[in-house]
Amino acid sequence: MPRPFRAAFVGAAAVTVFGAVTGRDKLQWAAKPLLMPLLAADVATNDDGLDPADRAVLLGALAAATVGDILLLAPDDDRRLIAGASSFAVMQTGYSWLWWRHGARPRPQIAAPRLAAWLAAAALMRAKAPAVALPLTAYGATLGTAATLAGDPALAPGTKNIAGLNIPGRDPRTRLALGALLFTISDGLIVLRKIFARTPRSRHITEGVILTTYAAAQYLLADPRAHH
């Protein structure tokens, strides 16, 4: 069955990344706010038997992500960065609710590496970016929770799990852990960009990688077929 809104999402994501890498802000500002509404349109129009409550939560998560995307069009503004993180915390909570509802639970072997990464990021921000350390650490807790639940094999019975990652297969549910991992990489790069990227070139390239991993993550996480 054709899914034109997801195809349009890929096009808008490509324009967004190109605008970021080349420093063409107007392209990014025009395309990035379209990303989550396009995925939301796919969720809203896909006749896939998704439970109405799950569909409503998924749409709410994408609405919160839309707000975050707009706020992070200026990623070097600390106030917008903090407000954007708050919006994405709402989104991560929505995803966590969906996966908990479908049987995912935190498992020590999956949670442990994510907890270690969260603590390391918190320490780095406290040392290098104290102005944003507390709110971004709080956001990181919601990110880590969602990533831990996404890695639970219970979400995709029968899938192979290696080091807390469900190995992606034909079943869209097997791709949720990869989506959560890509989201974690994207957000981790935001922290590294803020602290270490000093030249315009390095900031543009890093922003391009951030947006690429972010778009890929949302493409996998917001697939309604993955939430049955």
Side-chain angles (χ1 to χ4, degrees):
M1 179 179 177
R3 302 178 70 179
F5 292 114
R6 284 174 74 82
F9 169 86
V10 173
V15 173
T16 300
V17 172
F18 177 76
V21 171
T22 60
R24 291 174 169 85
D25 291 339
K26 290 183 179 180
L27 284 179
Q28 187 181 171
W29 294 342
K32 190 180 180 185
L34 300 177
L35 296 177
M36 297 307 106
L38 287 168
L39 289 181
D42 176 72
V43 172
T45 60
N46 203 296
D47 186 17
D48 47 22
L50 190 64
D51 182 276
D54 290 349
R55 194 185 305 276
V57 171
L58 189 52
L59 289 172
L62 292 171
T66 301
V67 175
D69 282 346
I70 293 171
L71 288 167
L72 292 183
L73 284 170
D76 298 321
D77 184 321
D78 284 351
R79 289 182 298 176
R80 292 175 69 97
L81 178 61
I82 292 170
S86 299
S87 297
F88 281 111
V90 174
M91 182 212 71
Q92 298 290 0
T93 301
Y95 283 149
S96 293
W97 184 90
L98 283 172
W99 300 331
W100 181 277
R101 174 175 159 85
H102 286 274
R105 296 294 184 269
R107 298 180 183 235
Q109 67 273 25
I110 296 174
R114 290 157 177 79
L115 177 61
W118 176 67
L119 291 172
L124 181 62
M125 285 189 291
R126 184 176 177 83
K128 300 292 187 179
V132 298
L134 182 59
L136 293 190
T137 298
Y139 163 70
T142 67
L143 171 66
T145 299
T148 298
L149 293 175
D152 187 353
L155 281 180
T159 188
K160 188 175 183 180
N161 187 287
I162 298 178
L165 178 69
N166 292 329
I167 303 305
R170 295 183 64 182
D171 185 344
R173 295 176 299 175
T174 65
R175 304 168 198 157
L176 291 172
L178 176 59
L181 176 61
L182 289 170
F183 216 118
T184 303
I185 292 171
S186 179
D187 284 347
L189 288 172
I190 289 175
V191 174
L192 295 178
R193 177 185 183 276
K194 179 172 182 59
I195 295 173
F196 297 113
R198 299 302 180 191
T199 67
R201 177 178 174 80
S202 66
R203 299 182 78 81
H204 289 325
I205 292 174
T206 307
E207 186 69 9
V209 178
I210 289 169
L211 290 169
T212 299
T213 50
Y214 168 70
Q218 292 286 36
Y219 187 86
L220 298 175
L221 298 176
D223 187 347
R225 300 174 303 168
H227 299 283
H228 283 289

